[in-house]
Amino acid sequence: MNMPASGDSPIHAGRAGTRGVLSAMCLSLVLVVASVSALNLALPDLAVDLDATNSSLTWIADGYTVALAALVLPMGALGDLFGRRKVLILGNLVFGAAALLAAFSDSTAHLIVWRVVMGVGAAMIMPGTLSTITSVFPAGRKDRGVATWSGFAAAGAIIGMLIAGGLLEQWTWRSIFVVSAITSLACALAALLLAPETRSSEPEPFDRGGAVTTALMVGTLVYGIIEGSDRGWTRPEVLAAFAVSVLGLVGYALLGLRSRHPLLDPRLFGLRGFRAGTIAVLTQFMAVFGFFFVGLQFLQLILGYGPLRSAVALIPVAAVVLPASQLAPRLVHRLGHKAVMPAGLLCLAAGMLRLTRLDAGSGYPAFLVALILAGAGIGLVGSSGTSAIVDSLGPDRQGVASAMNDATREVGSAVGIAIMGSVFSSRYRSALPSTLGQLPSGAAETVRHSAAGGLEVASHLGARGLRLADDVRDAFMAGFTDAMAVISVIIVLAALACLASAPRRIRPAAGRQADDGPAAEAADARTPSVRVP
């Protein structure tokens, strides 16, 4: 994509000013992010109401994020051609219509389909939020605008869960979709009234090959992870999914290197700051949304919290994330990206590792310690990682930076839910006792499907159900701790990768890393104009 070069006239923020633009873009951002997390509170109810298996619950959560992750780059390119505000508003309308239809779903299959369509709408919304901010904000205030955007990207998940928790106290899970539909209309109106239209100053051909290969790469990878855990890793369809994902990756690289206008040029990963920021943000969102998927079930099924109390229990994350994300730019200024990104990731890993020490008898205080550690890490990583991506490229290529940041977050969310959900589901089933076979076949299958279903079965068995409930909780905690252990290892490896590859300083004005030297300049010079939002 071609953004205005540094010498061009800046885009005027309009009568609402930069604050109005920031408010409108963050409102749409929160809608997109909240819709990833809000439904997690309803997973126990969905398991019972729609007789959903653990695999189906993962798809209900991940169908949205897979569509969003797979389509965010091509949808951003369409915004580049036709105008980001136009595409964002249309995306809100698609999102709202799909959410309303999802509210009337009577099966898991129908709900998954409408969640996927909501993800398509979200992919139309997401790219324009950050690129509009970086286009409108002057250079001296851009870092603060990006930090605010990053803070809401993380806190938006908590906001969504608080709203969902309040709704579920009074109504069913269907109310979440009705409110989402209404909110999408408010987001469309705010964008129309407060945000200026921005687009590429030099429209370029749409990269169809890049759009297809990136969508295949992400979609089949997540499918393989989820279905591999449920059906077996050696099943032909699972192996085929992974093979197609690898082919999609190879196709993306080959086509990207040959195309004059790729969706995302593979050579950009030669820039150290860009590469390190991508690793940091990807890993952060893998951990955050994977944790929400499993952690909310811990609060509801193990601690016995209701939906609203579960959401309130996660407020400390937002309370720590927002100030940490505002502090991060100052720490980066003093210490550099090379110190702040790995430190934030290690703090996040410490929080996840703390969760591996919980058991079925643990209370909220032990959980809270992990939340505070994780929240501090999320704030530091989100802000510093985003600024590393954005600052690695010059003013004329901010569209590339914002698109990569969006895609990285959504791919991380989808893969994180898939990995942690699959580890949890597999371990939960294997940890159930062999005495489960003594139950009627239908009841035993319900217990294997999900922990929520298992506790529902136990509640109808009288004294015999007390032992079954304990077994289900123990099996849940086995899956929970294994999922947290796996993501902790991934985070530590990402911290080491950032430490090895991140530059200490990045010069935003020039768009090149200060300590990358001639190699970065050569890579930057070889990189063609890129068509993304």
Side-chain angles (χ1 to χ4, degrees):
M1 163 184 181
N2 289 324
M3 293 290 293
S6 55
D8 293 347
S9 298
I11 296 172
H12 193 267
R15 287 180 298 176
T18 53
R19 288 191 177 183
V21 173
L22 185 62
S23 298
M25 295 301 100
C26 285
L27 182 61
S28 283
L29 169 69
V30 168
L31 174 67
V32 171
V33 175
S35 297
V36 180
S37 61
L39 203 60
N40 288 334
L41 278 171
L43 292 179
D45 291 340
L46 286 167
V48 175
D49 191 22
L50 299 181
D51 193 26
T53 66
N54 278 326
S55 177
S56 295
L57 292 176
T58 304
W59 272 118
I60 290 170
D62 230 0
Y64 174 85
T65 49
V66 169
L68 175 52
L71 297 176
V72 67
L73 288 175
M75 289 299 181
L78 292 178
D80 197 24
L81 282 172
F82 301 110
R84 297 185 192 95
R85 188 179 67 171
K86 288 187 182 69
V87 173
L88 184 146
I89 291 172
L90 180 59
N92 271 296
L93 297 178
V94 171
F95 181 101
L100 193 59
L101 290 167
F104 297 96
S105 298
D106 57 4
S107 69
T108 56
H110 289 161
L111 184 55
I112 291 168
V113 167
W114 293 122
R115 283 281 287 174
V116 170
V117 179
M118 288 174 66
V120 174
M124 300 171 73
I125 298 168
M126 188 74 170
T129 58
L130 181 59
S131 57
T132 298
I133 291 170
T134 57
S135 297
V136 169
F137 271 64
R141 296 172 57 200
K142 187 178 71 175
D143 283 350
R144 182 165 292 276
V146 170
T148 301
W149 185 95
S150 298
F152 275 102
I158 307 297
I159 294 170
M161 286 186 286
L162 283 171
I163 294 172
L167 292 171
L168 291 172
E169 290 292 325
Q170 300 295 325
W171 298 287
T172 70
W173 57 268
R174 300 177 192 277
S175 63
I176 297 174
F177 292 103
V178 174
V179 171
S180 295
I182 295 171
T183 305
S184 68
L185 292 178
C187 290
L189 185 61
L192 180 65
L193 297 178
L194 301 177
E197 182 64 277
T198 62
R199 57 164 59 88
S200 172
S201 58
E202 299 178 11
E204 297 165 352
F206 182 74
D207 181 15
R208 294 182 180 86
V212 171
T213 54
T214 53
L216 278 176
M217 177 177 63
V218 175
T220 53
L221 173 64
V222 174
Y223 175 88
I225 293 172
I226 295 174
E227 295 302 314
S229 171
D230 186 52
R231 303 185 184 187
W233 298 103
T234 58
R235 294 276 298 184
E237 61 270 29
V238 173
L239 296 176
F242 287 129
V244 172
S245 183
V246 172
L247 290 175
L249 175 61
V250 173
Y252 151 73
L254 293 177
L255 292 174
L257 291 171
R258 296 175 60 185
S259 174
R260 294 183 59 189
H261 309 294
L263 280 174
L264 185 68
D265 195 322
R267 284 177 288 250
L268 289 174
F269 293 99
L271 300 174
R272 292 170 58 194
F274 188 89
R275 182 172 66 247
T278 298
I279 292 171
V281 173
L282 176 76
T283 307
Q284 175 210 339
F285 272 72
M286 285 177 63
V288 168
F289 285 96
F291 163 72
F292 286 152
F293 180 76
V294 181
L296 281 167
Q297 295 184 70
F298 169 82
L299 291 171
Q300 293 178 280
L301 301 179
I302 303 302
L303 298 188
Y305 289 4
L308 181 58
R309 189 179 180 187
S310 297
V312 170
L314 293 177
I315 286 179
V317 176
V320 176
V321 164
L322 288 172
S325 64
Q326 293 295 319
L327 176 64
R330 292 195 287 273
L331 292 177
V332 169
H333 180 72
R334 291 185 179 184
L335 305 174
H337 288 89
K338 194 176 187 69
V340 177
M341 281 192 292
L345 285 168
L346 290 176
C347 193
L348 177 57
M352 297 295 106
L353 279 171
R354 182 69 183 82
L355 291 171
T356 65
R357 300 178 62 184
L358 302 182
D359 56 38
S362 298
Y364 180 71
F367 188 77
L368 177 61
V369 172
L371 289 186
I372 293 172
L373 285 170
I378 291 166
L380 293 176
V381 174
S383 183
S384 62
T386 297
S387 67
I389 294 172
V390 169
D391 292 348
S392 292
L393 304 180
D396 59 329
R397 296 162 69 195
Q398 284 302 289
V400 179
S402 60
M404 186 61 201
N405 184 69
D406 291 343
T408 299
R409 288 169 181 266
E410 304 317 322
V411 170
S413 300
V415 174
I417 292 171
I419 290 176
M420 295 183 70
S422 296
V423 171
F424 163 77
S425 179
S426 178
R427 184 70 178 100
Y428 167 77
R429 288 195 303 269
S430 66
L432 289 170
S434 58
T435 54
L436 200 63
Q438 298 174 7
L439 295 174
S441 59
E445 193 61 26
T446 299
V447 174
R448 294 189 185 96
H449 279 174
S450 69
L455 293 176
E456 180 70 15
V457 169
S459 69
H460 292 89
L461 296 179
R464 183 184 177 190
L466 295 176
R467 177 59 184 169
L468 175 61
D470 288 340
D471 290 338
V472 168
R473 292 189 184 96
D474 288 341
F476 177 94
M477 290 309 303
F480 177 87
T481 55
D482 276 15
M484 297 305 158
V486 168
I487 199 62
S488 298
V489 172
I490 293 173
I491 298 169
V492 170
L493 292 176
L496 295 175
C498 286
L499 186 63
S501 64
R504 184 169 185 271
R505 300 290 180 193
I506 298 174
R507 289 198 298 264
R512 296 185 180 104
Q513 297 117 335
D515 61 347
D516 272 359
E521 296 189 9
D524 200 36
R526 289 193 303 269
T527 304
S529 173
V530 183
R531 269 292 310 285
V532 286

